[in-house]
Amino acid sequence: MKRISILLITVFALCGCKKFVEPALQNNGKFENIYDEPLLAHGLLLNGYTRIPTNGWTFSDVATDNAVSNDLNSGLSKIATGQWTASFNPLDQWTNSKAAIQYLNMFLTEADKVTFDALDPKLNQMFKDRLKGEGYGLRAMFMYYMLQAHGGKAGGELLGFPLLLQPENPSSDFNQPRAKFDDCMKQIYADLDQAEELLPLDYRDISSPSDIPVKYNGVATETYNRVFGRLFSQRFTARIAKAIRAKAALMAASPAFAEGSSTTWENAANFAAAVIDLNGGVNGLAANGLTWYAGGSGNQIDGLGSGANPAEVMWRTSIGQNSDLEASHFPPTLSGSGRLNPTQNLVNAFPAVNGYPIDNTASGYNEATPYANRDPRLALYIVLNGSTAGPGSTVIYTATDRNTNDGLNKVETSTRTGYYMRKLLRQDVNRNSSSISNQKHYNPHIRYTEIYLSYAEAANEAWGPLATGGHSYSAYDVIKKIRQRAGIGLNNGDAYLESIKGDKNAMRTLIRNERRLELCFEGFRFWDLRRWNANLNEPALGVNITQSTYTQINVENRAYASFMNYGPVPYSEILKFKALQQNNGW
């Protein structure tokens, strides 16, 4: 009792001391502090970087005909099989992107009032220019992701999102209608124009005053490098702004959005060409671009200098040392969970090595040896029955008559399709619990191959397979280069490509297929099928292998309604704000 009494007296004594219950005055930060403490203002901008969707993998391919997951609780599997609603949307971007835009609006509104350098007015202005340029570029990028995920038809119009260019505050009218899709696109273009005007093409150290832009005449090279030098690599640049413009334009020109957009296929082709020209044209396509993620003999990661990129990658995340991807996607015998299982649909999309689709008799495809003489990308991206994987080159058997947990449906971490994902995974990672070895990984925000494929698609639609639209290359030239890099048709001059190069429709099919193969598992297929108004309900197929017999099996049916070419506005937002219109069907 005596101890309790002492404790109570102490508590009451402390409660009577203001300094224990009220924070010190200097701990009560005010928003106005950002004007004299630039790190606080910078934090508003950095909030945009932390929210970039491609900071992590979504593996949305499992909601398409490319893959399924052996995680039956996967939200993406659920939306593919009929549980996608306005209240349940694992691919929602409304919350994330809207929050990012709010922070960026706050920064852009206040940036000119911030003192970034009190001693040097020119240095102060350069910091303002660069950081504002990043803000405009990031805002445009998040608007693109908003349109991709939530743009759609409501009533008789194609709508985007509420177009807010000023930060909201407690007294704001939050009940704002969605702007027209085309108005959102025009704002994206305007923001990207601003970003290009304020930002360098790339961040690099210069050594000559002649390299300094005219508007900064009189600034010393070392001062210029303090703001625009190589130390800021992986921040938003004018080159990245051009690529975001090309990505957004490709979406806007596509069948699902073209009706409500003033962006044309020609616009999309020209925007992509502007990026490609800066990369050396068709010959600038990275020869080793297929293995940008690899260690070992294909290593393009371990030797990267600080902030540097391999030739295939324009913009990426920072490099991390881990084995998270391998833990999730290695087969069970490599101590992985085998989460993403490529489908037979995707396997069938890889042509024969001579370039012909496998359903063409000229391909030489043999059902008894289905993986022989195929596109080299098939074995590079997918673990097939009998493939080797992991640091010890373990043979992976997915056949049901093999006594291994890698076999079809053996355990909950086994494949459901007869295949495992190989792409993105470093084969020099060891996941054995007694000797786990981590390796370097990064996520690309933008790969050059994506932009080359965007040009091929848009140029074919705008001018046909062989016309250049005033550029030095055509859709045919780009696809030929991509297929040559993959090792396709090297012994026959790619006879299949030559046979269709005058046929716009056949070339469209080929371009879309090349996009499917080159970008598989990277989060493109889900959005591509929707912008093309393509069939979303191809059943996901697999293969049952017994005694060297390959039997196709149905693994998972898709259950998409036609209105699902456009994603929903979150139902919670519709309930809160009467001015918001929901997309048709949701």
Side-chain angles (χ1 to χ4, degrees):
M1 288 298 294
K2 183 177 180 181
R3 290 176 181 173
I4 294 174
S5 298
I6 293 172
L7 176 61
L8 290 174
I9 292 170
T10 304
V11 169
F12 285 122
L14 291 177
C15 290
C17 296
K18 291 182 66 175
K19 68 178 181 179
F20 285 102
V21 296
E22 294 185 8
L25 187 60
Q26 62 267 29
N27 290 337
N28 288 333
K30 296 181 179 180
F31 183 80
E32 292 76 13
N33 291 354
I34 69 169
Y35 305 134
D36 298 315
E37 298 182 48
L39 286 178
L40 297 179
H42 197 197
L44 296 174
L45 176 67
L46 292 179
N47 198 282
Y49 282 102
T50 63
R51 293 177 182 273
I52 296 174
T54 47
N55 283 341
W57 296 109
T58 65
F59 293 113
S60 58
D61 284 44
V62 305
T64 75
D65 53 357
N66 267 7
V68 301
S69 177
N70 65 15
D71 176 8
L72 300 183
N73 292 316
S74 162
L76 292 166
S77 295
K78 290 179 178 178
I79 70 171
T81 54
Q83 298 181 57
W84 195 10
T85 70
S87 298
F88 177 72
N89 182 9
L91 288 164
D92 170 76
Q93 267 300 313
W94 194 276
T95 302
N96 178 67
S97 292
K98 197 167 184 290
I101 291 169
Q102 164 72 357
Y103 278 104
L104 293 167
N105 283 344
M106 291 170 68
F107 176 79
L108 290 169
T109 300
E110 305 296 337
D112 283 331
K113 305 174 190 176
V114 178
T115 301
F116 291 98
D117 191 286
L119 300 178
D120 188 334
K122 287 189 175 181
L123 185 62
N124 186 53
Q125 188 59 50
M126 286 195 296
F127 272 119
K128 287 182 181 181
D129 288 351
R130 196 202 85 204
L131 296 173
K132 285 168 61 180
E134 292 178 51
Y136 283 118
L138 289 169
R139 187 170 73 177
M141 181 190 69
F142 282 106
M143 289 182 177
Y144 158 67
Y145 282 117
M146 281 280 277
L147 282 185
Q148 183 186 63
H150 303 288
K153 293 180 179 177
E157 291 187 298
L158 189 67
L159 299 180
F161 49 85
L163 200 47
L164 303 173
L165 305 182
Q166 297 295 322
E168 294 178 295
N169 58 56
S171 62
S172 296
D173 179 4
F174 294 93
N175 189 31
Q176 295 296 316
R178 297 166 65 191
K180 292 182 179 180
F181 179 93
D182 201 43
D183 289 338
C184 294
M185 283 298 304
K186 289 175 180 176
Q187 186 59 50
I188 289 172
Y189 293 147
D191 276 5
L192 293 171
D193 288 343
Q194 289 269 53
E196 282 196 61
E197 182 181 335
L198 294 168
L199 294 172
L201 184 64
D202 302 297
Y203 294 110
R204 62 185 183 89
D205 288 342
I206 63 171
S207 56
S208 170
S210 62
D211 292 329
I212 297 176
V214 174
K215 62 181 176 179
Y216 301 132
N217 275 352
V219 171
T221 55
E222 58 269 24
T223 302
Y224 181 83
N225 290 339
R226 279 185 62 190
V227 183
F228 298 109
R230 63 179 179 83
L231 292 179
F232 299 100
S233 296
Q234 307 311 332
R235 301 289 285 263
F236 207 97
T237 64
R239 186 188 298 266
I240 294 167
K242 292 177 185 294
I244 297 294
R245 185 183 289 109
K247 288 166 65 75
L250 183 75
M251 174 189 66
S254 296
F257 300 104
E259 183 182 325
S261 170
S262 59
T263 299
T264 65
W265 283 118
E266 185 172 9
N267 295 146
N270 288 335
F271 292 155
V275 179
I276 293 171
D277 290 343
L278 290 172
N279 196 47
V282 171
N283 291 327
L285 187 71
N288 59 354
L290 295 176
T291 55
W292 53 267
Y293 54 87
S297 60
N299 195 340
Q300 296 183 62
I301 299 179
D302 296 336
L304 283 180
S306 177
N309 290 327
E312 168 63 16
V313 176
M314 179 189 299
W315 189 27
R316 62 171 174 81
T317 63
S318 59
I319 296 174
Q321 184 113 354
N322 57 66
S323 58
D324 298 342
L325 275 176
E326 291 75 20
S328 293
H329 300 289
F330 265 175
T333 56
L334 295 179
S335 301
S337 296
R339 285 303 183 215
L340 187 146
N341 308 152
T343 58
Q344 187 66 48
N345 315 55
L346 177 59
V347 169
N348 290 345
F350 287 88
V353 71
N354 66 10
Y356 284 90
I358 64 170
D359 60 0
N360 188 309
T361 55
S363 69
Y365 174 72
N366 185 344
E367 291 184 355
T369 55
Y371 312 132
N373 299 313
R374 296 289 294 277
D375 180 339
R377 291 172 295 189
L378 174 58
L380 186 64
Y381 291 165
I382 296 175
V383 176
L384 312 167
N385 182 50
S387 293
T388 60
S393 297
T394 301
V395 180
I396 306 299
Y397 293 108
T398 64
T400 54
D401 56 357
R402 288 278 188 167
N403 187 26
T404 166
N405 284 343
D406 295 334
L408 183 74
N409 293 324
K410 287 285 186 178
V411 294
E412 66 177 17
T413 55
S414 302
T415 176
R416 297 172 61 205
T417 63
Y419 303 103
Y420 293 96
M421 182 178 77
R422 185 183 184 92
K423 186 181 180 182
L424 309 182
L425 308 182
R426 290 193 54 156
Q427 301 304 310
D428 51 354
V429 162
N430 190 338
R431 284 296 307 169
N432 187 299
S433 59
S434 63
S435 56
I436 290 177
S437 67
N438 295 324
Q439 298 293 351
K440 292 181 178 179
H441 298 77
Y442 63 82
N443 288 54
H445 296 311
I446 302 173
R447 287 176 52 207
Y448 277 106
T449 295
E450 176 196 350
I451 306 301
Y452 280 85
L453 288 164
S454 295
Y455 174 82
E457 180 180 341
N460 182 62
E461 299 297 340
W463 311 307
L466 298 173
T468 65
H471 304 290
S472 60
Y473 41 84
S474 64
Y476 159 82
D477 293 326
V478 169
I479 293 301
K480 183 174 183 178
K481 193 72 174 180
I482 286 174
R483 282 163 67 90
Q484 284 177 340
R485 179 179 71 177
I488 298 298
L490 299 183
N491 294 329
N492 65 352
D494 202 347
Y496 178 72
L497 176 61
E498 295 302 314
S499 72
I500 67 165
K501 67 182 182 181
D503 185 334
K504 180 177 179 178
N505 292 330
M507 184 63 81
R508 177 189 301 120
T509 299
L510 179 60
I511 290 169
R512 289 183 178 184
N513 195 66
E514 285 296 318
R515 185 176 176 91
R516 180 183 191 177
L517 304 183
E518 287 279 338
L519 303 179
C520 64
F521 315 136
E522 295 182 48
F524 288 89
R525 182 71 171 169
F526 183 87
W527 308 109
D528 285 342
L529 289 172
R530 282 155 180 74
R531 67 181 177 84
W532 292 332
N533 283 335
N535 180 16
L536 306 178
N537 286 313
E538 288 287 341
L541 306 175
V543 62
N544 185 1
I545 307 170
T546 56
Q547 299 179 351
S548 299
T549 299
Y550 298 80
T551 304
Q552 184 172 284
I553 58 173
N554 189 315
V555 176
E556 194 170 86
N557 289 324
R558 300 306 190 214
Y560 290 111
S562 59
F563 64 82
M564 292 178 178
N565 279 330
Y566 309 107
V569 175
Y571 183 59
S572 59
E573 296 294 292
I574 297 294
L575 289 178
K576 287 187 289 188
F577 307 118
K578 292 182 179 180
L580 284 179
Q581 288 180 273
Q582 181 61 276
N583 288 332
N584 295 344
W586 294 100

